[in-house]
């Protein structure tokens, strides 16, 4: 679940020296050297990496070495972004085996030999040497019974599971704690604003993908946890329909809202990953509701997809945002029109006021979490700390407060306590039904039908909740950046705003409409190339490139 950012708070200036120490000027992306034959790992696409691997320009072992070096540069030294909790000690051996396989029989898929980061709530085989902990010491050393279904699908496609990304602990469901903090990983921060809020809960996945610590990453979302950190880290993020990707082996918040999806530097890369991880899984009955055939989402990459499309603006939601984001959003509507789309503005949800005021989601998530997290822990092979219940987790944090409830910013576990006090009762079922009505019937589906739309569009920062409670998909793409003269807000411990902080544009649709949303998002991306306008601040950009690790013949 995403930590909502107070975008409309007043920006508070502080001494410019705090910014200048990191290098003030942010520049348009460029290749590392005009004569280099290697792709720039800051921006390299999966297709570019695959081409280099296939041509023999470099190997997957080279890629893993380069990404490990890049992580070392910025993760716990330099700007200390704390994006990665741990790297995979088996990654180099797995890369070497995949290199041998490529020579013998060719690549398994577009992801063969491609290193990907996984959020640390996505289970991986303990034999790899990595933990799965949701960032909490309470699950350190726990043994999972198998790979999460999405991890297994990546592995079967030949992807390299490079490491575990930091996250807002327990996917931001422990309490009122800053986004990007976990006991194990510490406080993550933005690569675009020094000590900036990275958003969450897939914070490390966003940071890692944004500056090329891996080719891409997986995140999970309950409400905003893929799309919000994608927005703030200048990325493409796909929050799939609940049931398109399996949640088996993913540490849960809510069986009714959780989903797993890709975070990447381009729509094409995100589509390639989604094509691999989507599909039915008998261990997750929600996936049995998806269409019988998983589309190849890379076939949705149509740069002309906006021509003739009808997209609608739920204008009452846009009014919640600050002037800079509203202005950039309004400008995007002109881009959509120029690409041949009809923009219906306003195209408000039939129940906008009721949806904004509703507290049903809180009831559903609090109740689901207690049941679902205890079920997850019960399925583990071993839990060295002995925790079994949510009450145990609360007690563990109190007993290990020096690691988990760290003053002054990270002491809260009120969400845990609220969830512990729930029961599955009629109020829960009523809230669940109301959410479907508000989010789907009289929400997204209601607006799509009333205005005969292909999709809805919103600034990503206020787009997540209607789709979350309906279980519907979102695709977010880079939209813009705060003005370069935006004052740095105080670091408490992270900054809510600062110069050039990115933000995104979200395309929303009905259940399992990802193919259409990917098409529309790709067409917008190709018309704008917004991501390339601003790079991360200089100290946050790793210097290691493939040329530094490829052995000279």
């Amino acid at each position: 679940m995403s930590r909502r950012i107070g975008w409309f708070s007043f920006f508070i200036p502080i001494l410019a020296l705090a910014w200048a120490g990191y290098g003030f000027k942010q520049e348009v992306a460029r290749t590392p050297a005009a004569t280099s034959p290697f792709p720039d790992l800051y921006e390299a696409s999966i297709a570019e990496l695959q081409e280099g691997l296939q041509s023999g320009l470099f190997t997957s072992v080279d890629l893993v070495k380069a990404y490990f070096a890049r992580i070392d540069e910025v993760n716990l030294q330099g700007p200390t972004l704390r994006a990665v909790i741990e790297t995979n000690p088996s990654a180099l051996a797995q890369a070497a085996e995949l290199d041998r396989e490529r020579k013998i029989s060719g690549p398994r898929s577009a992801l063969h030999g491609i290193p990907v980061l996984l959020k640390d709530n996505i289970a991986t085989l303990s034999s790899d040497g990595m933990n799965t902990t949701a960032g909490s010491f309470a699950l350190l050393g726990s043994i999972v019974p198998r790979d999460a279904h999405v991890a297994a699908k990546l592995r079967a496609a030949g992807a390299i599971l490079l490491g575990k990304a930091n996250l807002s602990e327990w996917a931001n469901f422990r309490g009122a704690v800053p986004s990007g903090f976990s006991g194990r990983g510490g406080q993550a921060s933005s690569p675009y604003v020094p000590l900036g809020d990275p958003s969450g809960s897939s914070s490390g996945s966003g940071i890692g993908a944004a500056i090329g610590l891996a080719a891409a990453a997986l995140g999970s979302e309950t409400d905003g946890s893929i799309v919000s950190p994608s927005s703030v880290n200048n990325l493409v993020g796909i929050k799939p329909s609940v049931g398109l990707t399996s949640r088996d082996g993913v540490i849960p918040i809510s069986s009714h809202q959780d989903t797993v999806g890709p975070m990447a530097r381009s729509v094409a890369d995100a589509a390639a990953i989604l094509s691999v991880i989507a599909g039915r899984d008998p261990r997750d009955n929600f996936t049995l509701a998806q269409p019988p055939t998983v589309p190849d989402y890379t076939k949705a990459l149509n740069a002309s997809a906006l021509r003739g499309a009808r997209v609608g603006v739920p204008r009452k939601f846009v009014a919640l945002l600050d002037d800079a984001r509203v202005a950039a959003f309004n400008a995007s509507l002109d881009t959509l029109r120029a690409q041949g789309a009809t923009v219906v503005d306003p195209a408000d949800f039939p129940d906008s006021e009721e949806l904004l005021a509703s507290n049903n989601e809180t009831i559903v998530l609090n109740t689901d979490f207690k049941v679902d997290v205890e079920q997850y822990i019960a399925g583990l092979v071993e839990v060295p700390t002995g925790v079994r219940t949510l009450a145990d987790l609360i007690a563990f944090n109190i007993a290990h407060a020096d690691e988990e409830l760290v003053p002054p910013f990270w002491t809260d576990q009120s969400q845990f306590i609220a969830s512990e006090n729930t029961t599955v009762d009629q109020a829960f079922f009523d809230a669940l039904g109301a959410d479907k009505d508000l989010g789907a019937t009289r929400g997204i589906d209601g607006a799509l039908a009333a205005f005969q739309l292909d999709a809805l569009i919103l600034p990503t920062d206020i787009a997540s909740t209607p789709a979350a409670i309906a279980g519907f998909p979102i695709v977010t793409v880079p939209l813009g950046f705060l003005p370069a003269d935006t004052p740095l807000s105080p670091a408490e411990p992270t900054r809510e705003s600062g110069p050039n902080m990115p933000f995104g544009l979200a395309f929303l649709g009905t259940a399992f409409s990802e193919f259409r949303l990917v098409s529309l998002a790709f067409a917008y991306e190709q018309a704008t190339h917004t991501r390339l306008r601003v790079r991360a601040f200089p100290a946050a950009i790793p210097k290691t490139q493939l040329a530094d690790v490829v052995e000279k013949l």
Side-chain angles (χ1 to χ4, degrees), residues 73-414:
E73 285 184 62
V74 299
N75 197 52
L76 297 180
Q77 57 185 331
T80 58
L81 300 178
R82 298 188 180 275
V84 179
I85 290 181
E86 56 185 298
T87 54
N88 184 354
S90 303
L92 282 169
Q94 292 167 4
E97 180 57 37
L98 288 163
D99 285 335
R100 286 191 290 271
E101 183 181 317
R102 181 187 297 275
K103 288 181 180 179
I104 295 169
S105 56
R108 301 181 195 178
S109 77
L111 298 186
H112 186 110
I114 301 295
V116 177
L117 285 170
L118 304 183
K119 186 177 181 178
D120 184 43
N121 62 349
I122 299 173
T124 51
L125 292 169
S126 59
S127 57
D128 273 0
M130 291 189 291
N131 291 282
T132 304
T133 67
S136 171
F137 284 102
L139 293 184
L140 185 60
S142 61
I143 306 299
V144 300
R146 58 189 169 271
D147 274 335
H149 189 259
V150 290
K153 288 177 79 70
L154 284 175
R155 204 187 292 271
I160 298 166
L161 310 184
L162 188 70
K164 292 296 182 72
N166 199 7
L167 71 165
S168 307
E169 188 172 301
W170 295 102
N172 205 29
F173 212 74
R174 195 188 82 184
V177 177
S179 287
F181 170 81
S182 71
R184 290 192 62 220
Q187 179 63 61
S189 61
S190 165
Y192 284 89
V193 175
L195 298 180
D197 185 345
S199 190
S201 63
S202 305
S203 313
S205 298
I207 299 163
I211 56 174
L213 304 186
L218 285 193
S220 67
E221 176 155 334
T222 307
D223 185 340
S225 288
I226 290 172
V227 298
S228 183
S230 294
S231 173
V232 171
N233 289 288
N234 200 20
L235 291 172
V236 173
I238 300 179
K239 178 256 180 182
S241 304
V242 174
L244 184 67
T245 55
S246 171
R247 290 83 51 84
D248 177 62
V250 179
I251 299 173
I253 291 177
S254 167
S255 57
H256 294 97
Q257 291 189 202
D258 291 350
T259 186
V260 181
M263 301 168 69
R265 293 182 290 274
S266 69
V267 176
D269 286 356
I273 294 172
L274 183 62
S275 298
V276 167
I277 64 172
R280 296 186 176 191
D281 174 14
R283 290 193 176 96
D284 182 350
N285 65 331
F286 280 71
T287 66
L288 305 181
Q290 70 180 251
T293 302
V294 175
D296 177 355
Y297 293 103
T298 64
K299 293 182 178 177
L301 304 177
N302 175 8
S304 301
L306 286 166
R307 190 174 302 135
R310 286 176 59 84
V311 295
V313 178
R315 184 57 66 172
K316 290 179 181 178
F317 270 61
V318 179
L320 300 171
L321 280 178
D322 61 87
D323 291 345
R325 288 176 177 79
V326 172
F329 175 73
N330 288 339
S332 77
L333 304 183
D334 292 332
T335 301
L336 295 170
R337 294 184 186 103
Q339 295 300 307
T342 297
V343 178
V344 180
D345 182 10
D348 284 308
F349 302 121
D351 61 348
S352 292
E353 290 81 3
E354 190 177 350
L355 204 163
L356 287 167
S358 172
N359 189 48
N360 291 306
E361 183 183 29
T362 300
I363 298 170
V364 171
L365 300 188
N366 282 348
T367 308
D368 269 350
F369 180 73
K370 181 180 179 181
V371 174
D372 294 345
V373 79
E374 292 181 1
Q375 182 177 0
Y376 172 85
I377 294 172
L380 295 173
V381 175
E382 182 180 340
V383 186
T385 62
V387 296
R388 294 180 296 112
T389 65
L390 180 52
D392 291 342
L393 294 176
I394 294 168
F396 178 92
N397 289 340
I398 294 169
H400 299 83
D402 58 328
E403 294 176 315
E404 290 289 349
L405 306 179
V406 184
F409 300 109
W410 306 287
T411 60
D412 191 59
Q413 56 176 337
S414 58

Side-chain angles (χ1 to χ4, degrees), residues 405-437:
L405 306 179
V406 184
F409 300 109
W410 306 287
T411 60
D412 191 59
Q413 56 176 337
S414 58
Q415 196 80 57
F416 268 14
I417 294 167
S419 179
E420 171 60 21
N421 290 326
T422 62
T423 56
V424 178
D425 56 15
Q426 190 58 46
F428 164 74
F429 291 111
D430 290 345
L432 191 60
D435 267 355
K436 288 297 181 184
D437 178 53

Side-chain angles (χ1 to χ4, degrees), residues 29-34 36-45 48-49 57-59 61-71 73 211-213 265 535 540-552:
R30 63 190 185 279
T31 55
S36 174
F38 300 105
D40 179 3
L41 294 181
Y42 181 90
E43 197 63 27
S45 69
E48 288 174 316
L49 296 176
L57 182 62
F58 52 87
T59 66
V61 168
D62 294 327
L63 266 183
V64 171
K65 288 179 178 178
Y67 283 133
F68 278 174
R70 290 171 71 84
I71 291 168
E73 285 184 62
I211 56 174
L213 304 186
R265 293 182 290 274
R535 284 164 63 95
I541 301 175
K543 294 179 175 61
T544 302
Q545 295 286 349
L546 280 162
D548 301 312
V549 300
V550 173
E551 292 185 11
K552 306 298 189 292

Side-chain angles (χ1 to χ4, degrees), residues 5-10 320-322 462:
I5 301 171
W7 296 122
F8 18 100
S9 63
F10 289 105
L320 300 171
L321 280 178
D322 61 87
I462 42 88

Side-chain angles (χ1 to χ4, degrees), residues 409-552:
F409 300 109
W410 306 287
T411 60
D412 191 59
Q413 56 176 337
S414 58
Q415 196 80 57
F416 268 14
I417 294 167
S419 179
E420 171 60 21
N421 290 326
T422 62
T423 56
V424 178
D425 56 15
Q426 190 58 46
F428 164 74
F429 291 111
D430 290 345
L432 191 60
D435 267 355
K436 288 297 181 184
D437 178 53
L438 288 171
T441 308
R442 292 191 292 131
I444 293 172
D445 281 344
L448 293 173
F451 299 100
Q452 299 179 325
L453 302 174
D454 295 291
L456 294 161
I457 49 172
L458 280 169
T460 303
D461 298 328
I462 42 88
S464 66
T465 296
I469 64 176
F472 287 178
I474 304 175
V475 179
T476 180
V477 295
L479 170 60
F481 307 84
L482 289 183
D485 61 355
T486 301
L488 282 168
S489 60
E492 297 175 339
T494 54
R495 309 183 195 279
E496 287 190 352
S497 61
N500 296 313
M501 180 174 275
F503 50 87
L505 176 68
F507 293 80
L508 295 78
T510 192
F512 305 113
S513 62
E514 284 84 354
F515 194 95
R516 183 60 168 155
L517 298 184
V518 166
S519 291
L520 298 174
F522 178 76
Y524 178 83
E525 174 196 56
Q526 295 304 297
T528 56
H529 295 289
T530 302
R531 175 176 159 78
L532 302 179
R533 283 173 38 201
V534 176
R535 284 164 63 95
F537 65 86
I541 301 175
K543 294 179 175 61
T544 302
Q545 295 286 349
L546 280 162
D548 301 312
V549 300
V550 173
E551 292 185 11
K552 306 298 189 292

